[in-house]
Amino acid sequence: MPADLPAHPPEAIETLIQRCLQGDQAAWDAIVRMYWRKIFNVAYKFVGKHDEAEDLAQEIFLKIFKSLDTFDRRANFQTWLVSVSRNVCIDHYRSVRKERQTIDRAVDASELSPASTDPGPMAALEQRDRLTLLRDALAALPEALRTAVLMRDIHELSYQEIADRLGLPQGTVKSRINRGRAELARQIRKLRGENYSPSRSSSVASRTGAC
């Protein structure tokens, strides 16, 4: 990944921002090179792993790129970048926590063994199995349905926020989410090797947050 470039005067940053807003890819590349190390360090403090920090830094820069037109030119650009970075990192943490909660809801409580006073390695293995199950089930969904479910149930966006981001009517968004939840439940049952039936699918769907 690119190393940070020496600090530039505010006038130079202003020029780069203006060029970016006009669609100049080279200007955006320059901003990424200038601030990569700074953003990476913020991400690394949250996740503690180099590969995950690089992925998170990429996500942060995507957010910065999309939000560049909201930057108040009177403010310090680097301070704004760090603020955006921390917000993305916090959202990332919340999404990971929400994913774990969704996995727990996707598993039928009647099929779980009684809680053990000694968690041991088997509990950790079961948790990883549930995570793998959910990820595999999500991967089997059509992209449009998967995106809708992730935005609603994992990232906890409102229907209006999802509609705005996807450029779709709210009715279409709600339909995709409901269809996605039902299909997710079907895929979970399929991956567990159970026979699929609409009634049982609806039960699982309700545990994944279906309306």
Side-chain angles (χ1 to χ4, degrees), residues 67-83:
S67 306
L68 198 57
D69 61 343
T70 68
F71 170 61
D72 184 346
R73 308 296 181 80
R74 296 169 297 180
N76 181 279
F77 186 60
Q78 180 168 293
T79 301
W80 180 74
L81 291 182
V82 172
S83 176

Side-chain angles (χ1 to χ4, degrees), residues 23-192:
D24 188 334
Q25 181 63 42
W28 172 246
D29 292 342
I31 289 178
V32 173
R33 289 195 300 270
M34 289 168 61
Y35 293 102
W36 171 263
R37 182 54 55 186
K38 173 71 68 177
I39 301 306
F40 173 84
N41 287 341
V42 174
Y44 188 82
K45 288 179 181 178
F46 269 81
V47 296
K49 294 182 180 179
H50 191 279
D51 290 346
E52 290 185 19
E54 284 202 340
D55 291 342
L56 188 53
Q58 295 282 4
E59 183 178 341
I60 290 169
F61 273 109
L62 178 60
K63 177 66 173 179
I64 291 170
F65 180 77
K66 292 180 177 179
S67 306
L68 198 57
D69 61 343
T70 68
F71 170 61
D72 184 346
R73 308 296 181 80
R74 296 169 297 180
N76 181 279
F77 186 60
Q78 180 168 293
T79 301
W80 180 74
L81 291 182
V82 172
S83 176
V84 172
S85 302
R86 287 174 176 166
N87 288 338
V88 173
C89 289
I90 291 171
D91 288 345
H92 172 77
Y93 169 77
R94 288 173 176 169
S95 70
V96 171
R97 184 178 61 181
K98 178 65 176 178
E99 181 179 2
R100 290 170 181 165
Q101 293 172 346
T102 302
I103 294 168
D104 291 337
R105 289 199 301 269
V107 177
D108 192 336
S110 65
E111 298 173 4
L112 298 177
S113 301
S116 171
T117 55
D118 179 15
M122 288 305 297
L125 180 60
E126 290 174 0
Q127 177 69 14
R128 289 197 297 272
D129 286 345
R130 291 197 297 270
L131 178 60
T132 300
L133 175 67
L134 180 62
R135 286 177 174 170
D136 289 347
L138 284 168
L141 299 184
E143 183 177 358
L145 300 185
R146 181 171 62 251
T147 298
V149 170
L150 287 173
M151 294 177 78
R152 178 61 178 169
D153 293 336
I154 303 301
H155 298 294
E156 299 184 294
L157 299 180
S158 69
Y159 291 118
Q160 187 58 56
E161 288 174 326
I162 298 172
D164 291 343
R165 294 193 182 191
L166 298 180
L168 296 170
Q170 270 200 51
T172 302
V173 167
K174 291 179 180 180
S175 175
R176 285 189 182 183
I177 291 170
N178 289 334
R179 287 162 49 207
R181 286 168 173 168
E183 179 62 17
L184 177 62
R186 191 183 74 83
Q187 290 296 335
I188 287 174
R189 299 196 68 82
K190 179 180 178 182
L191 290 169
R192 290 156 110 187

Side-chain angles (χ1 to χ4, degrees), residues 8-19 73:
H8 283 60
E11 295 79 8
I13 299 300
E14 173 67 24
T15 300
L16 285 175
I17 293 173
Q18 190 59 41
R19 287 169 52 193
R73 308 296 181 80

